[in-house]
Amino acid sequence: MSNSEKSYKKLLQFQHTTSVLNSCASVLGWDRETYLPKSGISHRAEQLALLFGMSHERSTNQEIEEWLSDCETSDLFNDPHSESATNIREWRKEYDKSVKIPRNLVEEITHTISMGHKSWVEARKKSDYSIFLPWLTKIITLKRHYAELLVTDNKSIYDALLDDYEPGESAENISQVFSQLRDELLPIIDNIVNSPHQPNLGIIHKNYSTKKQREFGELAAKTIGFDFDAGRLDTVVHPFCSKLGPNDVRITTRWDTNNLVSAFFGIMHETGHAIYDQNLPLRQWGTPAGSSISLGIHESQSRLWENIIARNKPFWTYFYPKLQGIFSENLSNTSLESFLHAINLVKRSLVRVEADEITYTLHIILRFEIEQSLIVGDLDPKDLPEVWNKRFKELFNLDVPDDANGCLQDVHWSHGSFGYFPTYALGNLYSAQFYDYLKRQSPDIENEYTKGNFLPLLNWLRKNIHSKGMCYTAPELIKDVTGESLNHNYLIQSFKNKFYPLYSI
Amino acid sequence: MSNSEKSYKKLLQFQHTTSVLNSCASVLGWDRETYLPKSGISHRAEQLALLFGMSHERSTNQEIEEWLSDCETSDLFNDPHSESATNIREWRKEYDKSVKIPRNLVEEITHTISMGHKSWVEARKKSDYSIFLPWLTKIITLKRHYAELLVTDNKSIYDALLDDYEPGESAENISQVFSQLRDELLPIIDNIVNSPHQPNLGIIHKNYSTKKQREFGELAAKTIGFDFDAGRLDTVVHPFCSKLGPNDVRITTRWDTNNLVSAFFGIMHETGHAIYDQNLPLRQWGTPAGSSISLGIHESQSRLWENIIARNKPFWTYFYPKLQGIFSENLSNTSLESFLHAINLVKRSLVRVEADEITYTLHIILRFEIEQSLIVGDLDPKDLPEVWNKRFKELFNLDVPDDANGCLQDVHWSHGSFGYFPTYALGNLYSAQFYDYLKRQSPDIENEYTKGNFLPLLNWLRKNIHSKGMCYTAPELIKDVTGESLNHNYLIQSFKNKFYPLYSI
C-alpha cells in the first residue's frame, strides 16, 4: 500500500468515527424536537454543545492536514467525480473551515441556539417579539462572528453562511434568479387569483380522523418508496426529516382534524427528503461520497414528490379512490377533478408553510432579503417586525396582524440558520428542471403512477441523483443530468402548464 | 484555594463532562428500546460502542489519579458522609475499576450486547433458544473476562459483577438471606394458594380501552409525585425507567386491553423508580453525591410505590371511585374489597414480570442460582434450558412449556446484566423494612392516602433516602434510617399482614 493509500485509509477511519459521533448528536436533536420533556431543554443544550465540541475538536485534528496533503498529490485525487477525489476535496474544505473556528465558539453557538429556540417557542406562542429579541440579537452576533472567520476575499459574509447549506452558491447569483422569478411570478399569481374559476374548498375542511389520515399517509409514503424498517413517522409542532444514521431516517408531521391534506402533503414532502437519504450509497455512509449534495438538491427531492408528483392527476388517479374509500362519508360525491382543483388552491397568505407552491417563492424572497440585512448589519434586529410587515405588504398586498403570523412564524433563525431559506426556492427550481428532462426522456412514465408504480421514477432518481452522493456539486449535477445550467423557465412553465388549465386561464 | 481544593474542583468539572457524555448514551439507549427502526440496530450498536469507549477513555485519564491523591489526604475526605468525601470515595472506586478494563473490551462488550439483544428478541419470539445460544455464550465469555480483571482476593468473580449493581454486597450474604426467605415463603405460598377464599378475577380481564388506562395511569403517577414536565411515559415491549439527564426521567409501559391492572402496576413501579431519580439532589447531578445508591435501593422505591402503596386499601380508597368512574360499565357492581382481593392474586406462574409479590422472590432465587453457575462456568450455556426447567419444577411444581416462557423470558442476560437479578429481591426487603419503620413513626400516614395526599410519604422518602445521593452505602442507609441492619422478617411479616386477612387465613 502506498503512502497516500495509507493516509486515505486513515482518513476514512477517522472521519467515519466523527460521523458516528455526529449521528449521536442527530439522535439527541431529533429527540429534542419530538419527545424531550419541557424541563429537560437546558441539559439537552449542554449535551449537544459537548458532542458538537468533541466533533469540532476531531475535525481540527492536525493529522487530517497531513493525511490530506498525502492524498492531494496522489492518483486518488485525479478524477474529480471519483469517490476518493470527492472525499478528499470535501474533507479539505471542511478541515480548512473547521480550523478557522475555535471550539468555544462552536459550543457557544450550540448552547445559545438551544436556549434561543426555547425563547422563540414562547415568543411565538404569545406573539411577543420582545421575548425573542435578545436571543436573536445574540444569535446574529455569534453567526456574524462565525461568518467573519470563514469569509474569503471575493465573497460577502452572508455567502460564508450560505456555504454551509448550498456550497458554491452566492447571494449575488441567487438575487438575480429571484429577481427574475419574482417579476414573472407576480402576473401569474394575479391571473390565477383573479380567475372566476376558483376551487371549492368545502371537502378539505370537514372532519377527518387523524388516525385514518395517518394510515393513508403511511400507505402513500410506503407506496412511493419510504422504507419503514429504516425509518418512522412521528408527530411534532414543526415537521422535519432527520437522518439519525444509515437505515434510520425519520420523518415527522403535524395533524389537523379539520384539514384533509395539510398533514398529507407534509408527509409527502418529508418522504421526498427521506427517500433521498435512504437511497444514498450505504457503503459510503459517513463520507462525502455517501452524503447529500446540498439543501437545494435535498429540497428538489421533497418538492418533486410533494408538488410535481403528489399534487397532480396521475398520482391521484391511483390514490383518490383509496382516499374516497377511507373517508367515504365526506368524499363519495366529489370528483377527482374537483379534488385536484381544491388541493391546488393559489392564494396570497401570511404563513410560509401553509403557502401554495407558487406564492411560496415570494415568502422565500422576503426572508432572503431580510436575513441578508440582519447579517450584514443593515437591519437592527429590534426593527425586524416593522421591516417585515412593510415588505410583506409590498409583496403580498396583505397586512400582518401579529408577529406570530409575521416575523416569528419560522423556526430557522432561532436555530441560527441564516442562508437556509433560499435553498427552498432553489429546490423548486431544480425539481422542475430535473422533472422536465425526465419527462422528455420517458414520456409515458406518468402512466405508471396511475397504477401505483413509482419505481421507474424512484430508480431514475436513484441512478441520476441519490447514488452520486457529493461526487458532483449542485451546479455540476443539474448540468450533467439535464445538459443545461439552472434555468428558472422550467419552473415558470410547469406552473403555467398545471395551473392555467385548472383555473381555466 | 488550597491544592486539594483545586484538584477537587478539577475533578468536579472533569467528571461532570463525563456524566454529560454518559447521559448522551442514555438518550440513545432509551431510543433503542422505544422508537429505533428495525434496520437501525447495528448502527446504534456502533454509536453506543463509541460513546462508551470515549467515556471509558475519560474515566481512565491519569490526571484523575493525581487529583484524587491530592483530595484523599485532605480535609475534604474527613467526614465519610459528606458530599466531597462521597464523591472522592466513589470516583476512586470507579477509577480503580476503569483502569483495569481496556477500552477495546468495553467497546466489544457494548457492541456484542447490542447485537446479542437483537438475537434474543428473535429467539424469544420464535421460542428458539438455539438462536440466542451463540450470543449468550459470547456475552458470558466477555463478562467473565471483565469480572476476572476486576475480582479482588476474597471475592468470587460473580461478586465482581454484582458490585456494578449492588456495591458492597456478596453472593454469599445474598445466598444466606435468600435461603431463609425461601424456607419461610414456601409455606406462606402454600397457605394462600390452598385457601378456599380465592379472588374473583372476572373484572380484571374485561375489555379496557388503553386510552383510558393511560389517562388513569398518568393521573395516578402525577398524584403520587411524578413530574411530567421533567419526564414522560412511552410504550414499549419491556418496560423500564431511564434517567436521560437532570429533569429528564422517562418511564415506559406496555398495554393490554384485556387487563385492567397489568399496565397500571407497571406504571406505578416505574414511577417509583422515577420519583427517586427526579428527587436526587439536582445541584449534585452527575456526581456520586447526586446519584442513586444501588439497584437494590432503587428497587426499594419502585416496590414501595407499586406493592406497599398501590396494592393496598388506603390508596384505592381514594383511587377506586375514580377508576369506577372511568370504567363504570365494568366496575360499578364490584366492591372495593373484591377489587383489592383481585389485584392481590397469589399464584405460582411461569413468568417473572407477571408474578405476584410473594412468588416473585422464587423467580429471583432461580435466576440468582443459575447466573452464578453460568458465570463461574459450572453450567454450560447449552444446558441452560434443561437446568432451568428442572429447577423451576422443584421450586414452583410447574412444567415449563417452552423456552419463551422459560429461560428466554428475561432481557437481562442479553444485556450482559449478570448480578442484576438479586437486586430485585433486595429491593423488596429494603422497602418492607423502610416502610415498617416509617409506619411506626407516623402511624396515621395512611389516612392521608385515602384523601389523595401522598406528600407526607414523598417528603419522608426525599429526606431519608433521595436527598442523600450516595453519601451512604445501602447497608449504612438501612441502618441509619431504621436503626437496624437488613432483616428479612419485615418482608415476611408484611406478607402475612396483608395476604392472610385477604385470603381468610
Side-chain angles (χ1 to χ4, degrees):
Chain A
M1 203 184 267
S2 73
N3 203 34
S4 56
E5 278 165 345
K6 274 184 210 155
S7 291
Y8 185 67
K9 205 178 157 193
K10 281 180 188 159
L11 270 168
L12 275 174
Q13 281 172 345
F14 186 87
Q15 303 283 22
H16 177 84
T17 301
T18 305
S19 294
V20 174
L21 184 61
N22 291 340
S23 75
C24 295
S26 299
V27 178
L28 272 74
W30 173 85
D31 181 80
R32 182 184 60 193
E33 305 302 319
T34 51
Y35 295 123
L36 182 68
K38 202 169 117 181
S39 306
I41 184 68
S42 68
H43 185 68
R44 181 56 47 88
E46 193 175 351
Q47 291 172 311
L48 284 169
L50 175 64
L51 293 181
F52 285 128
M54 285 176 147
S55 172
H56 181 260
E57 194 167 289
R58 290 184 65 85
S59 69
T60 56
N61 188 314
Q62 285 192 357
E63 284 182 292
I64 296 175
E65 169 67 54
E66 292 157 28
W67 294 326
L68 282 173
S69 301
D70 288 343
C71 295
E72 282 160 343
T73 51
S74 79
D75 288 351
L76 292 162
F77 204 47
N78 282 354
D79 172 7
H81 302 306
S82 69
E83 186 185 325
S84 57
T86 298
N87 288 338
I88 295 162
R89 178 182 66 240
E90 296 298 326
W91 285 334
R92 161 60 71 191
K93 205 181 147 189
E94 202 178 279
Y95 177 76
D96 288 349
K97 279 175 84 161
S98 294
V99 292
K100 292 179 185 166
I101 308 295
R103 175 169 174 170
N104 60 9
L105 181 61
V106 173
E107 295 193 351
E108 197 181 352
I109 289 175
T110 309
H111 197 267
T112 304
I113 280 168
S114 288
M115 302 311 291
H117 175 76
K118 191 183 165 193
S119 81
W120 168 78
V121 170
E122 195 193 340
R124 184 178 188 244
K125 203 170 166 187
K126 298 182 179 165
S127 197
D128 182 353
Y129 180 69
S130 71
I131 296 169
F132 184 44
L133 176 59
W135 286 100
L136 179 62
T137 307
K138 193 172 176 195
I139 290 168
I140 290 170
T141 305
L142 287 168
K143 289 295 278 193
R144 190 184 297 139
H145 180 41
Y146 170 88
E148 280 162 356
L149 293 169
L150 292 179
V151 74
T152 48
D153 294 343
N154 55 344
K155 296 274 191 174
S156 72
I157 58 166
Y158 181 81
D159 283 339
L161 299 179
L162 185 64
D163 191 69
D164 280 347
Y165 309 109
E166 200 63 31
E169 266 301 347
S170 69
E172 195 184 341
N173 187 43
I174 293 173
S175 295
Q176 274 181 8
V177 175
F178 281 6
S179 163
Q180 290 172 313
L181 257 182
R182 188 192 52 226
D183 293 347
E184 298 189 40
L185 284 176
L186 290 175
I188 295 176
I189 295 169
D190 276 339
N191 287 341
I192 295 173
V193 298
N194 293 330
S195 159
H197 187 58
Q198 292 295 320
N200 179 349
L201 301 178
I203 53 152
I204 302 294
H205 300 292
K206 292 182 176 172
N207 195 281
Y208 293 96
S209 122
T210 55
K211 188 163 168 271
K212 289 184 181 176
Q213 284 193 48
R214 175 186 274 272
E215 280 166 26
F216 181 70
E218 290 186 344
L219 170 73
K222 201 177 165 185
T223 305
I224 66 174
F226 185 76
D227 178 359
F228 277 94
D229 280 346
R232 43 181 295 116
L233 168 64
D234 293 274
T235 303
V236 291
V237 183
H238 308 287
F240 62 95
C241 169
S242 180
K243 182 165 197 173
L244 282 67
N247 291 313
D248 190 0
V249 178
R250 307 191 187 181
I251 59 173
T252 56
T253 196
R254 58 179 163 201
W255 307 100
D256 181 351
T257 48
N258 293 311
N259 194 313
L260 172 59
V261 291
S262 71
F264 179 77
F265 286 114
I267 293 172
M268 289 297 96
H269 181 93
E270 303 307 340
T271 299
H273 282 304
I275 285 175
Y276 184 11
D277 282 333
Q278 288 187 334
N279 287 284
L280 287 164
L282 209 56
R283 199 178 56 78
Q284 279 103 311
W285 179 87
T287 70
S291 302
S292 56
I293 297 176
S294 71
L295 288 192
I297 296 296
H298 227 303
E299 194 72 8
S300 79
Q301 302 304 291
S302 57
R303 297 288 161 151
L304 192 149
W305 288 104
E306 178 196 358
N307 289 332
I308 300 181
I309 305 305
R311 285 192 199 265
N312 274 306
K313 191 166 178 177
F315 178 92
W316 287 107
T317 303
Y318 178 73
F319 277 111
Y320 189 57
K322 295 188 190 304
L323 189 66
Q324 282 182 310
I326 292 173
F327 295 114
S328 54
E329 70 284 14
N330 288 348
L331 299 181
S332 54
N333 293 322
T334 302
S335 69
L336 174 58
E337 279 65 29
S338 301
F339 174 76
L340 282 171
H341 200 181
I343 64 170
N344 281 295
L345 172 73
V346 174
K347 193 184 169 196
R348 296 186 185 94
S349 62
L350 295 165
V351 177
R352 177 184 64 86
V353 295
E354 291 163 11
D356 61 86
E357 55 183 304
I358 305 190
T359 61
Y360 189 92
T361 306
L362 301 183
H363 289 276
I364 297 307
I365 290 171
L366 171 78
R367 286 153 180 76
F368 174 63
E369 291 172 359
I370 289 181
E371 69 180 12
Q372 287 184 83
S373 307
L374 285 169
I375 288 297
V376 301
D378 289 348
L379 172 58
D380 188 320
K382 78 171 164 44
D383 300 325
L384 170 60
E386 190 192 328
V387 170
W388 177 288
N389 296 352
K390 182 167 166 284
R391 187 73 182 113
F392 196 86
K393 179 79 181 178
E394 289 163 7
L395 276 167
F396 290 83
N397 196 26
L398 288 174
D399 293 310
V400 177
D402 52 49
D403 292 336
N405 285 289
C407 65
L408 284 175
Q409 68 180 266
D410 283 315
V411 68
H412 301 64
W413 295 336
S414 82
H415 280 164
S417 300
F418 292 86
Y420 191 122
F421 280 122
T423 68
Y424 289 127
L426 291 172
N428 277 338
L429 293 162
Y430 282 128
S431 69
Q433 188 165 337
F434 281 133
Y435 198 70
D436 178 89
Y437 176 81
L438 165 62
K439 262 190 73 177
R440 277 183 281 130
Q441 302 301 306
S442 310
D444 298 330
I445 195 166
E446 295 188 343
N447 281 342
E448 295 304 310
Y449 311 161
T450 66
K451 302 173 216 155
N453 180 16
F454 299 90
L455 203 58
L457 170 57
L458 180 57
N459 282 337
W460 187 86
L461 295 172
R462 281 173 173 154
K463 178 170 173 246
N464 290 284
I465 300 168
H466 307 165
S467 65
K468 291 180 178 165
M470 295 182 87
C471 294
Y472 293 74
T473 65
E476 283 170 358
L477 184 74
I478 193 81
K479 192 156 188 185
D480 186 66
V481 173
T482 69
E484 194 181 346
S485 296
L486 187 63
N487 179 340
H488 75 282
N489 289 320
Y490 293 107
L491 183 63
I492 295 292
Q493 199 52 51
S494 83
F495 287 156
K496 287 182 182 167
N497 289 347
K498 171 170 159 183
F499 288 93
Y500 280 7
L502 277 173
Y503 285 81
S504 306
I505 300 166
Chain B
M1 204 184 266
S2 72
N3 203 36
S4 55
E5 279 165 342
K6 274 184 210 156
S7 292
Y8 185 66
K9 205 179 157 191
K10 280 178 189 160
L11 270 168
L12 276 173
Q13 281 173 346
F14 187 87
Q15 302 283 23
H16 178 84
T17 301
T18 306
S19 294
V20 175
L21 184 62
N22 291 340
S23 74
C24 295
S26 298
V27 178
L28 272 75
W30 172 86
D31 180 80
R32 182 182 61 194
E33 304 302 319
T34 50
Y35 296 121
L36 182 68
K38 202 170 118 182
S39 306
I41 184 69
S42 69
H43 184 69
R44 182 55 46 87
E46 193 175 351
Q47 291 171 310
L48 284 169
L50 174 64
L51 293 182
F52 285 129
M54 285 177 150
S55 172
H56 181 261
E57 194 167 289
R58 290 184 66 85
S59 70
T60 55
N61 188 312
Q62 285 193 357
E63 284 182 292
I64 296 175
E65 170 66 55
E66 292 157 29
W67 293 326
L68 282 173
S69 301
D70 288 342
C71 295
E72 283 160 344
T73 51
S74 79
D75 288 351
L76 292 162
F77 204 46
N78 281 354
D79 172 5
H81 301 307
S82 68
E83 186 185 325
S84 57
T86 299
N87 287 339
I88 295 162
R89 177 181 68 242
E90 296 298 327
W91 285 334
R92 160 61 70 194
K93 205 181 147 190
E94 202 178 281
Y95 177 76
D96 288 349
K97 280 176 85 162
S98 294
V99 292
K100 291 179 184 165
I101 309 295
R103 174 169 174 167
N104 61 9
L105 180 61
V106 173
E107 294 192 351
E108 197 181 353
I109 289 176
T110 309
H111 196 268
T112 304
I113 280 168
S114 288
M115 302 312 290
H117 175 75
K118 190 182 166 191
S119 81
W120 168 79
V121 170
E122 194 193 341
R124 184 178 189 245
K125 202 170 167 186
K126 298 181 179 165
S127 197
D128 181 352
Y129 181 70
S130 70
I131 296 169
F132 184 45
L133 176 59
W135 286 101
L136 179 62
T137 307
K138 192 170 178 197
I139 290 168
I140 290 170
T141 306
L142 287 168
K143 289 294 279 193
R144 190 185 297 138
H145 180 40
Y146 171 87
E148 280 161 355
L149 293 169
L150 292 179
V151 74
T152 48
D153 295 344
N154 55 344
K155 296 274 190 173
S156 71
I157 59 165
Y158 181 81
D159 284 339
L161 298 179
L162 185 64
D163 190 69
D164 280 347
Y165 309 110
E166 200 63 31
E169 267 300 348
S170 69
E172 195 184 341
N173 186 43
I174 293 173
S175 295
Q176 275 181 7
V177 176
F178 281 6
S179 163
Q180 290 171 311
L181 257 182
R182 187 191 55 226
D183 293 347
E184 299 190 39
L185 283 177
L186 290 174
I188 296 176
I189 294 168
D190 277 339
N191 287 341
I192 294 173
V193 299
N194 295 329
S195 159
H197 187 58
Q198 291 294 320
N200 179 350
L201 301 178
I203 52 152
I204 303 293
H205 300 292
K206 293 182 176 172
N207 194 281
Y208 293 97
S209 125
T210 55
K211 188 163 168 271
K212 288 183 181 177
Q213 284 192 48
R214 175 186 274 273
E215 279 166 26
F216 181 69
E218 290 187 343
L219 170 73
K222 201 176 163 184
T223 305
I224 66 174
F226 184 77
D227 177 0
F228 277 94
D229 280 345
R232 42 181 298 118
L233 167 64
D234 293 274
T235 304
V236 292
V237 184
H238 309 287
F240 62 94
C241 169
S242 180
K243 182 167 196 171
L244 282 68
N247 291 313
D248 189 0
V249 178
R250 306 191 188 183
I251 60 174
T252 57
T253 195
R254 58 179 162 202
W255 307 100
D256 180 350
T257 48
N258 294 311
N259 194 313
L260 172 59
V261 291
S262 71
F264 179 77
F265 286 114
I267 293 171
M268 289 298 96
H269 180 94
E270 303 307 340
T271 299
H273 282 303
I275 286 176
Y276 185 10
D277 282 333
Q278 288 187 333
N279 287 285
L280 287 164
L282 208 56
R283 199 177 56 77
Q284 279 102 312
W285 181 86
T287 70
S291 302
S292 56
I293 296 176
S294 71
L295 288 190
I297 296 296
H298 227 303
E299 194 72 8
S300 79
Q301 301 305 292
S302 57
R303 296 289 160 150
L304 192 148
W305 288 103
E306 177 195 359
N307 290 332
I308 301 182
I309 306 304
R311 286 193 200 266
N312 275 306
K313 192 166 179 179
F315 178 92
W316 287 108
T317 303
Y318 178 73
F319 277 112
Y320 189 57
K322 295 186 192 306
L323 189 67
Q324 282 182 308
I326 291 173
F327 296 114
S328 53
E329 70 283 14
N330 288 348
L331 299 180
S332 54
N333 294 322
T334 302
S335 70
L336 174 59
E337 280 63 30
S338 301
F339 174 76
L340 282 170
H341 200 181
I343 63 171
N344 282 295
L345 172 74
V346 174
K347 194 185 168 195
R348 296 187 185 93
S349 62
L350 295 166
V351 177
R352 177 185 63 86
V353 296
E354 291 163 10
D356 61 86
E357 56 183 304
I358 306 190
T359 62
Y360 188 92
T361 306
L362 300 183
H363 289 275
I364 296 306
I365 290 171
L366 171 79
R367 286 154 180 75
F368 174 64
E369 292 173 0
I370 288 182
E371 68 179 11
Q372 285 184 84
S373 307
L374 285 168
I375 288 297
V376 300
D378 289 348
L379 173 57
D380 188 320
K382 78 172 164 40
D383 300 325
L384 170 60
E386 191 191 329
V387 170
W388 178 287
N389 297 351
K390 182 167 165 285
R391 189 70 183 115
F392 196 86
K393 179 81 179 176
E394 289 164 8
L395 277 167
F396 290 84
N397 196 28
L398 288 173
D399 293 311
V400 177
D402 53 47
D403 293 335
N405 286 289
C407 67
L408 284 175
Q409 67 181 265
D410 282 315
V411 67
H412 301 65
W413 295 335
S414 82
H415 280 164
S417 300
F418 292 86
Y420 192 121
F421 281 122
T423 68
Y424 289 127
L426 291 173
N428 278 338
L429 294 162
Y430 283 127
S431 70
Q433 189 164 336
F434 280 133
Y435 198 71
D436 179 88
Y437 176 80
L438 166 62
K439 262 191 71 179
R440 278 184 279 128
Q441 301 302 305
S442 310
D444 298 329
I445 196 166
E446 295 188 341
N447 282 342
E448 296 303 312
Y449 312 161
T450 65
K451 301 174 218 156
N453 180 16
F454 298 91
L455 202 57
L457 170 57
L458 180 57
N459 282 337
W460 187 87
L461 295 170
R462 282 173 174 155
K463 179 171 172 243
N464 290 283
I465 300 168
H466 307 165
S467 65
K468 290 180 180 165
M470 296 183 87
C471 294
Y472 292 75
T473 66
E476 283 169 356
L477 183 75
I478 192 81
K479 192 155 188 186
D480 187 65
V481 173
T482 70
E484 195 182 346
S485 297
L486 189 64
N487 179 340
H488 75 283
N489 289 319
Y490 293 107
L491 183 63
I492 296 291
Q493 200 51 51
S494 82
F495 287 156
K496 288 181 180 166
N497 290 347
K498 171 171 162 182
F499 289 93
Y500 280 7
L502 277 173
Y503 285 82
S504 307
I505 299 165

